[in-house]
């Protein structure tokens, strides 16, 4: 099959807490993880808004405690969900930023940017993170990048996948493919093992990240990678473990100091950051101290957390992970005895208790931890990106067969879910199902499309509904409904009534909370606007720095007697007062345009040069 795209193409792991970008390097026959401007291989999925700029990544996370209400994270937990979703209602309690219900129950995040209130949806925040990852890659490759493969949790539903794709479009990316995170990690594992000619192998991928948990069972044989089953929870990960610790410590602090932190966003943000750090310490040490000076009302925070306490606080969540592992094996109809490797992926898979539970379940089997759990997903995505492009050399010719995580169907009779495509069916797939009208002279039929495993349709997730006009006829008139899932795992439904020779094709319209093409267009324009504003800010900072550097050099020269002694006293006074003015210009917080600094620097240079020229 001809490849549609031309390189360069990147793989982006768009994580709840951190994101990672990689690119295939044909000179080295491998995918390379790209460092960001801070030299880090992973970038926080944080976006912040201030009075004069927008920040993304490390810069946003680093200022989170001082600007909690305008520092947005966890967009992946919001994306593709309704505001009324209980998951969002619960998470909101711990988010320092404000989330409100927008049109059609779509969550909107409210921030203050340059003194004005802005409403943003999760797709826009994610698009900003994607833009950052793209820029990191462009800097490294020294060329523009348009094509990308973006990963999503295997257990993401249709709305969450579509919303992620929309985020890519807003970021100006051509999202060639959406692939599942554990499958991408499977590719990374497979490439590592390829050299050793391993034959057929059943591989269990355990991917516990910052916000989501996914497991997949793959069978690898030569160059073919077949996903047999997948399972997961789109709301289970490191963030939940941190939150448990935060809740516990807020209670402890209240008990000891009679001070309640729970309403203070800044204190909670500082505590959350400290808890995340302590959690990491507890992965190699048995206790960790959390110390935060003057956390609230001048009281210092100083508490010790033991690994045992951390494990106790999260016990049910760790056990939930194990239930999902069992469920995946059952879906694949595979006994745990014939799993060859259990591969650890995602930062939270480093937690010793999680590893121990998993190892016990697999009867003492060594867990495979030779791939970097933070980077494997981006690595696999970069391989997939290279595979989809023309002209990229030395890419192994892998064939990937993924599955759909949730059953898809329609509601029939008294709200029974009629499954058209069962979960864990290989994708892409196209399946037709025939339905018939229920009444004589029926003029239209309603088709509701659901995803989920419950037998009662309304207990599942309603993806959309449509109404198809049909020829009036006695009951039993056949209607053909076609479900197709593309390689991104995204569903399209159409229906037709052929009997009169009058074919009608209808695609799903009333999609849950999906952005319209007009909204996406508006967001693309806004993204351009944000970019232009960012550039404006960068130029201003550069101009300020140039002035600051020049003032620094001048100060040094003025201290040098061999120079200063030769200047006239009038020139000395003029130069000194210009230097004081320049310093004031930089230090004072009044908003100023870039040209103010550029013009001042030019004038200053002229004053200085003409004074020096006099004594040459
Ligand atoms: P990921 O989404 O794969 O980037 O995973 C990020 C999550 O992994 C965050 O919640 C981190 O706090 C967590 N994490 C990273 N390193 C460790 C560690 N050594 N121990 C426990 N959790 C970790």
């Amino acid at each position: 099959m001809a490849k549609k795209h031309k390189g360069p193409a990147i793989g982006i792991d768009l994580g709840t807490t951190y994101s990672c970008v990689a690119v295939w390097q044909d000179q080295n026959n491998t995918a390379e993880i790209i460092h960001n401007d801070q030299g880090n291989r992973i970038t926080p999925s944080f976006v912040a808004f201030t009075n004069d700029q927008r920040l993304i990544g490390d810069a946003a996370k680093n200022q989170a405690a001082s600007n909690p209400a305008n520092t947005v994270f966890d967009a992946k937990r919001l994306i593709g969900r309704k505001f009324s979703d209980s998951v969002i209602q619960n998470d909101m309690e711990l988010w320092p930023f404000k989330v409100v219900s927008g049109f059609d129950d779509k969550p909107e995040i409210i921030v203050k940017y340059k003194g004005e209130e802005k409403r943003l949806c999760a797709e826009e925040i994610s698009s900003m993170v994607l833009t950052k990852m793209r820029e990191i890659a462009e800097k490294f490759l020294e060329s523009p990048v348009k094509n990308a493969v973006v990963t999503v949790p295997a257990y993401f539903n249709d709305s969450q996948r579509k919303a992620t794709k929309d985020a890519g479009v807003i970021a100006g990316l051509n999202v060639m493919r959406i692939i599942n995170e554990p499958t991408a990690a499977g590719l990374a594992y497979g490439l590592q093992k390829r050299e050793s000619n391993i034959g057929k192998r059943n591989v269990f991928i355990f991917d516990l990240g910052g916000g989501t948990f996914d497991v997949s069972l793959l069978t690898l044989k030569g160059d073919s990678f077949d996903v047999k089953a997948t399972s997961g929870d789109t709301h289970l990960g490191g963030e939940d473990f941190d939150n448990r610790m935060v809740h516990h410590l807020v209670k402890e602090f209240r008990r000891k100091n009679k001070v309640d932190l729970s309403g203070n966003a800044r204190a909670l943000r500082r505590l959350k950051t400290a808890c995340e750090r302590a959690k990491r310490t507890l992965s190699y040490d048995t206790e960790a101290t959390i110390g935060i000076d003057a956390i609230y009302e001048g009281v210092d925070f100083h508490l010790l957390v033991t690994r045992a306490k951390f494990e106790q606080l999260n016990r049910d969540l760790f056990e939930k992970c194990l239930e999902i592992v069992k469920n995946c094996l059952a879906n694949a109809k595979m006994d745990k005895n014939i799993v060859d490797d259990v591969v650890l992926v995602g930062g939270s898979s480093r937690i010793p208790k999680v590893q121990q539970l998993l190892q016990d379940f697999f009867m003492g089997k060594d867990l495979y931890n030779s791939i970097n759990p933070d980077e494997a997903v981006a690595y696999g995505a970069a391989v997939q990106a290279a595979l989809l492009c023309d002209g990229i050399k030395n890419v192994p010719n892998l064939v990937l067969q993924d599955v759909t995580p949730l059953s898809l169907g329609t509601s029939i009779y008294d709200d029974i879910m009629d499954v058209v495509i069962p979960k864990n069916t290989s994708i892409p797939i196209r399946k037709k199902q025939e339905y018939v009208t229920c009444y004589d002279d029926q003029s239209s039929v309603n088709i509701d499309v659901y995803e989920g495993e419950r037998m009662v349709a309304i207990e599942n997730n309603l993806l959309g509904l449509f109404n198809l006009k049909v020829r009036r006829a006695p009951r039993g008139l056949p209607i053909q409904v076609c479900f197709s899932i593309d390689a991104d795992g995204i569903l399209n439904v159409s229906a037709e009534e052929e009997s009169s020779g009058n074919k009608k094709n209808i695609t799903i319209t009333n999609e849950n909370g999906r952005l319209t093409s007009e909204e996406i267009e508006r967001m693309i324009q806004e993204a351009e606007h944000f970019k232009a504003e960012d550039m404006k800010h960068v130029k201003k900072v550069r101009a300020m720095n140039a002035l600051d550097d020049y003032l620094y050099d001048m100060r040094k020269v003025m201290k040098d007697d061999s120079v200063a002694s030769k200047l006239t006293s009038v020139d000395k006074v003029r130069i000194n007062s210009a230097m004081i003015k320049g310093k004031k210009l930089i230090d004072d917080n009044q908003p100023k345009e870039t040209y103010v600094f550029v013009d001042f620097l030019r004038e200053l240079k002229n004053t200085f040069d003409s004074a020096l020229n006099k004594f040459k």
Side-chain angles (χ1 to χ4, degrees):
M1 201 171 56
K3 295 177 179 178
K4 281 190 290 195
H5 312 280
K6 280 227 167 302
I10 53 174
I12 303 177
D13 169 10
L14 179 63
T16 311
T17 46
Y18 291 94
S19 295
C20 186
V21 58
V23 66
W24 182 260
Q25 294 289 71
D26 47 16
Q27 321 84 294
N28 310 335
N29 286 358
T30 185
E32 186 160 344
I33 304 293
I34 308 176
H35 290 91
N36 67 17
D37 40 12
Q38 306 286 305
N40 298 326
R41 291 160 76 88
I42 53 174
T43 299
S45 306
F46 276 57
V47 181
F49 301 85
T50 74
N51 268 338
D52 27 54
Q53 61 175 326
R54 174 185 65 160
L55 300 162
I56 312 173
D58 290 293
K61 189 168 184 189
N62 291 344
Q63 56 81 73
S66 59
N67 180 27
N70 301 303
T71 304
V72 186
F73 53 93
D74 274 1
K76 196 169 172 180
R77 289 197 147 177
L78 281 155
I79 207 160
R81 289 186 194 269
K82 295 266 184 190
F83 176 77
S84 52
D85 189 324
S86 60
V87 162
I88 292 197
Q89 291 301 311
N90 285 337
D91 279 351
M92 267 170 55
E93 284 176 27
L94 278 175
W95 283 329
F97 49 87
K98 197 167 163 192
V99 182
V100 295
S101 173
F103 177 70
D104 199 19
D105 201 21
K106 195 171 171 66
E108 286 183 351
I109 302 141
I110 299 195
V111 291
K112 215 165 173 194
Y113 173 57
K114 298 196 167 185
E116 278 178 29
E117 188 178 284
K118 263 205 158 311
R119 281 173 169 244
L120 298 160
C121 61
E123 286 88 332
E124 284 175 283
I125 299 291
S126 290
S127 80
M128 292 172 190
V129 177
L130 287 173
T131 304
K132 176 78 186 174
M133 303 318 286
R134 173 193 181 174
E135 284 168 4
I136 292 170
E138 286 180 337
K139 211 164 177 187
F140 172 78
L141 294 169
E142 295 176 347
S143 82
V145 173
K146 188 111 183 102
N147 295 324
V149 166
V150 178
T151 61
V152 292
Y155 221 58
F156 249 22
N157 66 27
D158 194 65
S159 329
Q160 291 166 309
R161 282 167 198 272
K162 282 176 176 159
T164 305
K165 218 167 171 182
D166 290 345
V169 175
I170 299 167
L173 285 168
N174 170 35
V175 180
M176 300 182 294
R177 184 73 53 85
I178 293 275
I179 63 168
N180 292 331
E181 287 161 12
T183 313
L187 277 177
Y189 161 90
L191 278 188
Q192 208 172 72
K193 283 275 179 181
R194 206 162 176 259
E195 309 295 299
S196 45
N197 224 340
I198 47 172
K200 185 177 163 193
R201 238 171 146 76
N202 296 319
V203 184
F204 192 87
I205 310 279
F206 181 93
D207 180 1
L208 187 56
T212 56
F213 174 52
D214 274 309
V215 291
S216 283
L217 189 56
L218 281 86
T219 298
L220 272 55
K221 198 173 164 206
D223 283 337
S224 78
F225 288 61
D226 281 355
V227 181
K228 295 292 173 200
T230 191
S231 197
D233 188 326
T234 52
H235 196 279
L236 177 58
E239 288 272 292
D240 301 290
F241 312 145
D242 300 342
N243 290 344
R244 287 276 172 97
M245 214 195 297
V246 170
H247 270 302
H248 164 71
L249 292 177
V250 166
K251 266 201 268 169
E252 276 291 282
F253 192 70
R254 194 186 304 135
R255 193 176 58 79
K256 274 181 119 178
N257 300 292
K258 313 278 174 281
V259 174
D260 188 7
L261 302 177
S262 54
N264 187 290
R266 179 175 147 81
L268 283 180
R269 179 69 239 168
R270 291 177 77 196
L271 184 56
K272 177 116 188 261
T273 305
C275 282
E276 201 240 354
R277 209 173 305 127
K279 174 189 70 178
R280 288 174 188 248
T281 305
L282 293 174
S283 287
Y284 60 85
D285 214 337
T286 51
E287 53 186 44
T289 306
I290 298 188
I292 307 170
D293 289 344
I295 189 165
Y296 190 49
E297 292 176 352
V299 185
D300 292 341
F301 188 101
H302 200 84
L303 285 170
L304 184 96
V305 195
T306 61
R307 187 189 282 178
K309 186 72 204 175
F310 174 73
E311 289 171 357
Q312 186 208 332
L313 290 169
N314 289 295
R315 189 163 195 91
D316 59 319
L317 298 180
F318 296 161
E319 275 165 4
K320 200 169 169 190
C321 293
L322 217 56
E323 284 312 307
I324 292 170
V325 171
K326 288 180 196 162
N327 181 271
C328 181
L329 284 163
N331 285 335
K333 299 188 182 60
M334 195 178 282
D335 193 278
K336 58 183 173 184
N337 288 313
I338 56 166
V339 170
D340 297 295
D341 272 320
V342 179
V343 180
L344 298 178
V345 184
S348 305
S349 69
R350 293 192 179 96
I351 296 173
K353 187 72 187 175
V354 169
Q355 293 190 357
Q356 184 216 320
L357 287 171
L358 194 61
Q359 192 166 33
D360 289 351
F361 174 74
F362 280 99
M363 297 162 306
K365 176 181 271 308
D366 281 341
L367 306 176
Y368 189 88
N369 52 14
S370 307
I371 55 173
N372 186 322
D374 300 324
E375 300 172 358
V377 171
Y379 185 103
V383 175
Q384 177 69 73
L387 277 167
L388 290 169
C389 281
D390 239 353
I392 299 183
K393 287 183 228 129
N394 301 335
V395 195
N397 198 18
L398 309 175
V399 185
L400 193 67
Q401 184 79 66
D402 218 321
V403 297
T404 179
L406 297 158
S407 299
L408 294 151
T410 62
S411 95
I412 51 165
Y413 315 118
D414 285 327
D415 208 24
I416 301 296
M417 172 86 168
D418 185 49
V419 174
V420 178
I421 301 181
K423 66 175 176 183
N424 293 317
T425 301
S426 294
I427 57 166
I429 183 162
R430 198 177 150 80
K431 221 166 156 191
K432 270 194 172 177
Q433 187 103 318
E434 188 175 286
Y435 295 98
V436 291
T437 52
C438 301
Y439 313 104
D440 292 342
D441 275 341
Q442 202 169 323
S443 60
S444 66
V445 287
N446 286 325
I447 296 164
D448 304 350
V449 181
Y450 288 94
E451 68 184 350
E453 312 312 318
R454 303 287 290 268
M455 285 169 75
V456 177
I458 50 162
E459 301 289 341
N460 291 318
N461 181 27
L462 176 67
L463 291 175
L465 37 106
F466 57 81
N467 180 278
L468 179 74
K469 296 257 177 291
V470 295
R471 180 174 61 85
R472 285 179 189 272
R475 57 185 277 186
L477 180 75
I479 313 288
Q480 303 290 336
V481 177
C482 179
F483 277 54
S484 65
I485 305 180
D486 64 16
D488 293 333
I490 289 177
L491 174 73
N492 247 296
V493 182
S494 61
E496 56 190 62
E497 186 260 291
E498 294 172 317
S499 68
S500 55
N502 237 353
K503 278 192 186 173
K504 280 183 181 170
N505 276 313
I506 294 184
T507 41
I508 206 159
T509 50
N510 185 6
E511 289 177 290
N512 253 348
R514 181 96 197 263
L515 296 172
T516 61
S517 50
E518 290 80 24
E519 281 171 320
I520 292 183
E521 193 45 47
R522 177 180 59 76
M523 288 172 187
I524 292 173
Q525 305 295 335
E526 270 187 20
E528 289 296 322
H529 178 70
F530 268 121
K531 199 172 164 192
E533 292 284 302
D534 289 354
M535 272 321 292
K536 227 166 107 184
H537 185 75
V538 168
K539 276 192 186 149
K540 188 159 100 182
V541 171
R542 281 194 191 136
M544 281 170 80
N545 284 344
L547 176 59
D548 203 31
D549 286 350
Y550 192 73
L551 286 171
Y552 177 82
D553 290 343
M554 272 176 83
R555 246 174 262 130
K556 263 200 336 208
V557 172
M558 294 299 281
K559 275 189 195 148
D560 182 347
D561 268 351
S562 64
V563 179
S565 60
K566 287 177 188 152
L567 293 175
T568 67
S569 48
V570 175
D571 281 339
K572 258 191 228 168
V573 171
R574 196 179 294 147
I575 288 170
N576 277 331
S577 76
M579 280 167 61
I580 292 168
K581 215 168 148 195
K583 179 93 177 66
K584 255 196 191 149
L585 210 57
I586 293 172
D587 290 346
D588 117 271
N589 283 328
Q590 294 303 312
K592 281 178 213 71
E593 294 293 332
T594 308
Y595 75 85
V596 176
F597 300 100
V598 174
D599 290 354
F600 190 85
L601 178 60
R602 195 183 315 114
E603 255 177 55
L604 193 61
K605 276 183 177 168
N606 284 340
T607 311
F608 201 45
D609 288 350
S610 66
L612 288 180
N613 281 338
K614 278 185 201 160
F615 87 85
K616 263 187 186 164

